[in-house]
């Protein structure tokens, strides 16, 4: 599942719950091509193609957060489009309200929509300063955090950085496994309204762990500057790592893989060392 679908999925579940529908009966279609002829409860279309064929009627509500919803029959309830593609073919009917927030909509002349609302989103072309300002602020925050940590508790960054450097493959593997596992757990918890705050808190902690890994990698880079001012060296090292991550995004596929690999390696080292509280020693087999 694409990562960008997670916040949209949580938003769809919150809207679903606010509308009084039963969240536990909601079906989330993640991938593939599906033809829906009879469905009970809400339907959430993710990174998939879902078709309501002619002469078929689904009750709704239906949320489109990605992929494509192709309606050739009837949706008796509401349809909310947050992203993706919504195609209403000739003979299609939405007997509830169609709420368009974002995404692409194609409506044939013979399609019927009982009620339609739209959220207008005005997009302004940001200038170069506005475009890079979030990255600059994030870099500054990470650099300041790195400078503070390296002066107050250098052992924490030393443990994480040494693990990422000396056991890069293990760190990358652990980082990838933990990331995929926790992502699945958080998405599962998001289906239960009570656990949505826990899911959001978990995502924030995960993002903090990834940021901590970037700081630790910056600490490693800063040590190569051979300056006695460890705080300044770490801050500069963090800036170098962030610039490298940003620059790598300009190279399709290879650059993305490099950036993901660096982030997962740092994240894995954070997990292996319990946020730097202990040094990681791999298990050795007896001779």
């Amino acid at each position: 599942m694409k990562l960008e679908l997670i916040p949209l999925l949580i938003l769809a579940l919150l809207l679903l719950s606010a509308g009084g529908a039963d969240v536990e009966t909601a079906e989330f279609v993640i991938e593939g091509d599906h033809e829906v002829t009879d469905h009970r409860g809400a339907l959430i279309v993710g990174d998939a193609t879902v078709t309501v064929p002619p002469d078929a009627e689904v009750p709704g509500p239906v949320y489109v957060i990605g992929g494509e919803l192709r309606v050739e029959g009837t949706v008796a309830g509401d349809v909310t489009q947050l992203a993706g593609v919504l195609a209403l073919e000739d003979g299609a009917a939405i007997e509830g309200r169609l709420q368009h927030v974002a995404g692409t909509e194609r409506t044939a002349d013979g399609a019927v929509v009982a009620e339609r609302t739209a959220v207008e989103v005005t997009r302004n072309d940001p200038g170069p300063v506005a475009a890079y300002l979030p990255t600059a602020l994030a870099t500054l925050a990470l650099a300041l955090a790195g400078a503070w940590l390296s002066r107050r508790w250098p052992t924490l960054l030393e443990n994480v950085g040494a693990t990422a450097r000396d056991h890069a493959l293990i760190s990358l593997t652990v980082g990838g496994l933990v990331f995929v596992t926790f992502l699945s757990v958080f998405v599962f918890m998001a289906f239960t309204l009570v656990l949505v705050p826990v899911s959001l808190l978990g995502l924030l902690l995960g993002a903090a762990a990834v940021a901590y890994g970037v700081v630790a990698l910056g600490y490693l880079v800063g040590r190569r500057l051979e300056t006695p001012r460890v705080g300044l060296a770490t801050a500069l090292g963090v800036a170098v790592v962030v610039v490298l991550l940003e620059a790598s995004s300009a190279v399709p596929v290879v650059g993305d893989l490099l950036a993901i690999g660096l982030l997962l390696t740092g994240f894995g080292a954070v997990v292996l060392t319990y946020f730097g509280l202990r040094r990681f020693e791999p298990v050795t087999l007896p001779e």
Side-chain angles (χ1 to χ4, degrees), residues 28 94 99 104 106 116 124 126 135 180 185 249:
F28 180 33
I94 296 179
Q99 186 173 22
T104 303
R106 299 195 302 268
R116 178 189 296 270
N124 297 323
T135 302
V180 172
V185 172
S249 64

Side-chain angles (χ1 to χ4, degrees), residues 227-242:
T227 171
R229 303 181 62 180
V230 63
L232 176 61
T234 303
L236 292 175
V238 170
V240 169
V241 172
V242 174

Side-chain angles (χ1 to χ4, degrees), residues 126-142 242 246:
V129 176
Y132 290 102
L133 184 60
T135 302
L137 292 177
T139 304
L140 178 61
L142 290 175
V242 174
E246 284 291 319

Side-chain angles (χ1 to χ4, degrees), residues 61-182:
V62 180
Y63 293 85
V64 184
I65 65 173
E68 179 176 353
L69 172 64
R70 185 180 302 125
V71 181
E72 299 171 351
T74 301
V75 178
D78 296 337
V79 175
T80 301
Q81 183 183 15
L82 301 175
V85 178
L86 173 62
L88 304 178
E89 308 294 348
D90 278 328
I94 296 179
E95 297 178 345
R97 181 178 61 180
L98 170 59
Q99 186 173 22
H100 175 84
V101 179
T104 303
E105 178 190 343
R106 299 195 302 268
T107 303
D109 294 336
V112 177
V113 178
E115 182 182 355
R116 178 189 296 270
T117 60
V119 177
E120 298 292 339
V121 180
T122 303
R123 294 184 178 179
N124 297 323
D125 187 16
V129 176
Y132 290 102
L133 184 60
T135 302
L137 292 177
T139 304
L140 178 61
L142 290 175
L144 291 175
W148 180 69
L149 280 173
S150 61
R151 286 184 295 181
R152 294 294 302 272
W153 295 291
T155 305
L156 298 178
L157 296 181
E158 177 65 31
N159 287 340
V160 177
T163 301
R165 179 194 58 209
D166 300 335
H167 310 286
L169 183 58
I170 298 176
S171 298
L172 175 62
T173 304
V174 170
L177 290 175
V178 173
F179 180 80
V180 172
T181 302
F182 274 75

